[in-house]
Amino acid sequence: MNAARTFATARRVLRQLAHDPRTIALLLLVPVLLLVLLYYVFDADRRSFDSIGASLLGIFPLVTMFLVTSIATLRERTSGTLERLLSMPLGKADLILGYALAFGALAVVQASAATGVAVGLLDLDIAGSPWLLLLVALLDALLGTALGLFVSAFAASEFQVVQFMPAVIFPQLLLCGLFAPRSSMQPALEAVSDVLPMSYAVDGMTEVLQHADPTGDFVRDVAVVGGCALLVLFLGAATLRRRTA
């Protein structure tokens, strides 16, 4: 791995994204607009907004970063850009980390915007620090980036990337505890939810919602989400292909 090549890759990706306003809008505006919509949906029940809004503050960045990263990486491969890059003295780790840095920078902006709007404008009532809320949202966005990089290796078209949503994202969404407490699920489903990273993202948001200071469970949740992001990035580097057959 070479730091100069990694940062050069990150700069190139950011320059490309800067010329794609629709992608920027999807990354930065859609999560904020969905939180505002949720605020008015629960206008008569602010307690429900506080509970669900905190969880979705972690879920929205994960989903949007997953979509944008997977499609952007797939375009690099189908256009032949990835093959040309890897024919140069650029390792797979340099490429994957460069993408992770570029989308990670966008994730910081996205998570900051969503958290700022939720806490500052929508008056999301949390017991803990907004910075802890931002930390979990940022890690969720990075996990979405890592999942997108990994999944893009197995898709041959943008349509196939979208098809991965039901397989990768939807089961986590259903089992993460957003719709029902995980402890009330069937034992088999609870066991599955225990190994899905989104479950720990929601648990981490709940800890910030209910506790003024970081708890042991919060530290565990953050460590699991961050560890999963690193593991998936490693798998993404291992499965990266030069082009789509």
Side-chain angles (χ1 to χ4, degrees), residues 126-129 132 205-215 217-218:
I126 58 174
S129 169
L132 296 178
M205 289 297 190
T206 302
E207 289 295 313
V208 178
L209 182 70
Q210 296 177 350
H211 302 281
D213 298 316
T215 63
D217 288 341
F218 174 80

Side-chain angles (χ1 to χ4, degrees), residues 12-13 20 34 42 56 59 72 74 76-77 80 98 100 103 108 113 115 136 150 155 170 201 209 217 230 235 241:
R12 180 184 62 81
V13 174
D20 190 350
L34 289 175
F42 290 101
L56 291 181
I59 293 173
L74 178 68
E76 293 275 78
R77 200 168 64 246
F103 286 106
V108 171
T115 303
V136 181
F150 176 64
F170 288 178
L209 182 70
D217 288 341
L230 291 176
L235 293 175
R241 293 182 293 160

Side-chain angles (χ1 to χ4, degrees), residues 100-138:
L101 283 175
F103 286 106
L106 290 174
V108 171
V109 179
Q110 180 196 64
S112 299
T115 303
V117 169
V119 176
L121 297 181
L122 304 181
D123 197 25
L124 182 69
D125 187 16
I126 58 174
S129 169
W131 293 106
L132 296 178
L133 209 63
L134 174 61
L135 173 62
V136 181
L138 176 58

Side-chain angles (χ1 to χ4, degrees), residues 34-56 117-119 121-125 209:
L34 289 175
L35 285 171
V36 173
L37 176 62
L38 186 70
Y39 174 84
Y40 287 105
V41 167
F42 290 101
D43 188 47
D45 187 1
R46 292 303 312 279
R47 183 172 297 179
S48 294
F49 170 74
D50 292 337
S51 177
I52 298 177
S55 298
L56 291 181
V117 169
V119 176
L121 297 181
L122 304 181
D123 197 25
L124 182 69
D125 187 16
L209 182 70

